[in-house]
Amino acid sequence: MTAPGDPAPGPWDDQDPRLQAGLEHLQRAAREMIAASRALLDVAEELVEDPSAASGILDLLGSVAGRAGRVAPSDPASDDPDDDPPVQRIPVS
């Protein structure tokens, strides 16, 4: 019997601890994805409510893209010593 305030036992409580840990990691990842989605929806809502905010957001994205372009190598394929393509395509029949 559980004490008041204790969480009710779930179906995973008597399982392998690795399974429990994996489930907890997936739950944390799902919460992070939900939080990220909410943040993006907040930005989208702001753009709908105040279209002039779009210029500020576009400026920010442009500066981030510019910095990323300066950090990234100009030709990533030339840095790869292998001649293999970065993606292997496997035909499926």
Side-chain angles (χ1 to χ4, degrees), residues 21-39:
L23 179 61
E24 290 169 5
H25 285 293
L26 288 174
Q27 287 174 329
R28 279 195 298 273
R31 288 183 187 107
E32 287 291 323
M33 289 297 299
I34 291 168
S37 299
R38 284 183 180 143

Side-chain angles (χ1 to χ4, degrees), residues 11-76:
W12 304 105
D13 288 343
D14 59 346
Q15 298 295 321
D16 184 346
R18 295 173 297 171
L19 179 62
Q20 181 70 24
L23 179 61
E24 290 169 5
H25 285 293
L26 288 174
Q27 287 174 329
R28 279 195 298 273
R31 288 183 187 107
E32 287 291 323
M33 289 297 299
I34 291 168
S37 299
R38 284 183 180 143
L40 288 174
L41 287 172
D42 288 343
V43 171
E45 184 178 21
E46 184 178 332
L47 290 175
V48 168
E49 297 298 323
D50 183 14
S52 64
S55 65
I57 292 173
L58 290 176
D59 290 342
L60 174 67
L61 291 175
S63 67
V64 169
R67 289 178 192 223
R70 289 191 299 266
V71 172
S74 59
D75 186 10

